[in-house]
């Protein structure tokens, strides 16, 4: 989605609402296809919220509704205290949008792109130039301020794109799959940019298909599937509620390995590695109990590792592609 929403500068002294973004029963259909089927969200100000979902789940549609690009068919949405249906100008004055593709003028330099945005926002010349200089320095592109955007790498283009979004000093920023196509180093640079924005009090609404990205950045994560939010919580909360945690014990000699089998007869065995995989919840208490059982029999493991489900496991389970259990059962468990 291109960065086509044109916000106006935020007024000083405005008090942030209790929730930077909130929706109730948000609905959207295209013909016979229901894309959003009653979405409820509550996103506190100054946090990162990540919306996950498979292709076609409705992530971009949600961003388009919240940024006033398209209208919902039903429900209510408030952004920075403004109703998207009845006060779209108020929403646009409070937000910035960075879409999946950088909305830059390739014929202009980095500085000229920023100055163009400042002019469109009706900032004065002096204020516009000061804002452009500040953002060029902040995003590490001051040394290429005079180079055309067409010559920039993907990571530099993305940084300039977000810098243009920040000319208006928005309260809420929508980042729709902002690191798609970036190399790992550029992606991590983008993560640092997001963290710095949140540290300044900006609210970031992030859609992404990179689950590590949501794990690294988001205060709360929601999984969208079949037009509905099928789970929501912190990344740790969601991971803790997916089955599949286990402890792996490895031994240096066959005798200790065989004795450990007697202690944990239900453990999965790896004869070649002399290792056991013992199911559990991954918690401290269960780990302490396991170690106490080993100590009581005098068995010593060479090393121990704990595996807990990651967001990949959560995503696959909730969207029906996971190997562990029935997706429907897991969705009901996580509600």
């Amino acid at each position: 989605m291109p960065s086509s929403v044109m916000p106006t500068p935020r007024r000083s002294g405005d008090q942030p609402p209790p929730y930077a973004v909130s929706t109730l029963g948000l609905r959207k259909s295209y013909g016979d296809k229901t894309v959003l089927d009653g979405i409820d969200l509550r996103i506190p100000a100054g946090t990162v919220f990540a919306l996950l979902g498979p292709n076609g789940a409705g992530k971009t549609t949600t961003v388009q509704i919240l940024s006033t690009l398209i209208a919902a068919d039903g429900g209510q949405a408030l952004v920075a205290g403004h109703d998207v249906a009845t006060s779209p100008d108020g929403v646009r004055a409070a937000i910035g949008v960075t879409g999946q593709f950088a909305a830059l003028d390739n014929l202009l330099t980095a500085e000229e792109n920023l100055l163009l945005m400042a002019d469109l926002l009706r900032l004065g010349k002096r204020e516009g130039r000061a804002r452009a200089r500040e953002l060029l320095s902040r995003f590490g592109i001051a040394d290429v301020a005079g180079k055309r955007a067409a010559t920039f790498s993907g990571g530099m283009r993305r940084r300039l794109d977000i810098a243009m979004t920040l000319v208006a000093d928005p309260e809420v920023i929508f980042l729709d799959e902002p690191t798609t196509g970036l190399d790992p180093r550029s992606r991590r640079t983008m993560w640092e940019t997001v963290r710095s924005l949140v540290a300044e009090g900006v609210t970031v609404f992030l859609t992404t298909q990179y689950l590590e990205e949501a794990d690294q950045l988001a205060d709360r994560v929601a999984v969208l599937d079949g037009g509905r939010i099928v789970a929501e919580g912190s990344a740790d909360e969601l991971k803790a509620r997916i089955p599949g945690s286990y402890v792996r014990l490895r031994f240096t000699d066959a005798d200790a390995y065989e004795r450990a089998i007697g202690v944990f007869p239900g453990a999965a065995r790896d004869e070649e590695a002399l290792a056991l995989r013992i199911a559990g919840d991954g918690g401290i208490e269960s780990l302490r109990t396991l170690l106490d059982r080993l100590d009581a029999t005098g068995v010593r493991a060479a090393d121990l590792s704990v595996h807990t489900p990651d967001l990949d496991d959560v995503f696959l389970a909730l969207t029906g592609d996971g190997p562990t259990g029935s997706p429907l059962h897991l969705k009901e468990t996580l509600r």
Side-chain angles (χ1 to χ4, degrees):
M1 182 183 71
S3 309
S4 53
V5 173
M6 190 63 60
T8 55
R10 181 175 45 178
R11 294 170 303 185
S12 61
D14 287 351
Q15 294 298 313
Y19 292 105
V21 178
S22 63
T23 70
L24 180 64
L26 202 63
R27 301 178 61 86
K28 183 67 179 178
S29 298
Y30 294 99
D32 295 333
K33 180 176 176 56
T34 299
V35 180
L36 300 178
D37 189 16
I39 302 300
D40 299 336
L41 298 173
R42 300 289 186 275
I43 304 173
T47 63
V48 180
F49 176 84
L51 185 61
L52 308 181
N55 289 331
K59 302 186 299 295
T60 295
T61 298
T62 302
V63 171
Q64 289 176 328
I65 291 172
L66 294 176
S67 57
T68 75
L69 288 174
I70 62 175
D73 295 335
Q76 184 182 33
L78 299 176
V79 177
H82 303 281
D83 190 299
V84 299
T86 61
S87 182
D89 288 343
V91 173
R92 293 168 192 149
I95 67 171
V97 181
T98 297
Q100 296 175 18
F101 308 100
L104 308 178
D105 189 323
N106 287 325
L107 297 179
L108 300 181
T109 67
E111 184 177 29
E112 288 169 344
N113 269 284
L114 290 169
L115 292 175
L116 173 62
M117 181 62 72
D119 287 343
L120 291 171
L121 293 169
R122 300 177 182 175
L123 299 182
K125 278 196 172 183
R126 179 177 298 178
E127 183 182 358
R129 290 189 177 280
R131 187 71 172 145
R133 286 195 300 270
E134 174 196 344
L135 291 169
L136 287 166
S137 175
R138 175 176 177 178
F139 284 86
I141 49 178
D143 57 336
V144 293
K147 292 188 177 181
R148 290 169 51 192
T151 67
F152 285 7
S153 66
M156 290 173 63
R157 290 175 63 84
R158 183 52 84 189
R159 276 185 278 164
L160 177 57
D161 194 34
I162 293 184
M164 291 176 66
T165 301
L166 293 179
V167 170
D169 192 21
E171 298 173 51
V172 180
I173 296 179
F174 294 95
L175 300 180
D176 192 12
E177 300 188 18
T179 61
T180 297
L182 296 186
D183 61 78
R185 179 172 295 177
S186 296
R187 185 173 299 126
R188 291 184 180 278
T189 299
M190 186 60 57
W191 294 354
E192 291 304 317
T193 299
V194 171
R195 292 187 183 107
S196 69
L197 291 173
V198 174
E200 296 171 5
V202 176
T203 305
V204 175
F205 187 112
L206 171 72
T207 75
T208 181
Q209 293 190 55
Y210 295 110
L211 302 183
E212 182 191 6
E213 186 162 89
D215 206 355
Q216 287 281 337
L217 295 176
D219 298 289
R220 292 188 68 78
V221 177
V223 181
L224 182 64
D225 189 45
R228 294 179 176 273
I229 300 293
V230 296
E232 184 177 356
S234 71
D236 287 341
E237 287 170 348
L238 295 185
K239 288 184 285 188
R241 294 158 70 182
I242 288 287
S245 297
Y246 63 86
V247 174
R248 184 178 186 271
L249 298 175
R250 188 181 64 83
F251 302 88
T252 54
D253 63 83
D255 180 62
Y257 174 67
E258 292 296 334
R259 291 169 63 196
I261 291 174
V263 178
F264 304 105
R269 306 175 189 181
D270 183 344
E271 304 284 351
E272 184 176 348
L274 296 181
L276 298 180
R277 197 170 76 174
I278 304 161
D281 61 10
I284 293 176
E285 288 303 320
S286 60
L287 184 59
R288 182 180 292 117
T289 299
L290 181 150
L291 294 175
D292 287 344
R293 289 177 65 184
L294 278 178
D295 286 342
T297 56
V299 178
R300 293 290 181 268
D303 59 57
L304 174 152
S305 60
V306 179
H307 171 84
T308 56
D310 55 23
L311 277 185
D312 290 67
D313 299 317
V314 174
F315 182 87
L316 292 172
L318 289 171
T319 57
D321 299 320
T324 47
S326 160
L328 178 60
H329 170 72
L330 288 171
K331 289 179 185 180
E332 293 302 321
T333 300
L334 287 167
R335 285 188 190 280

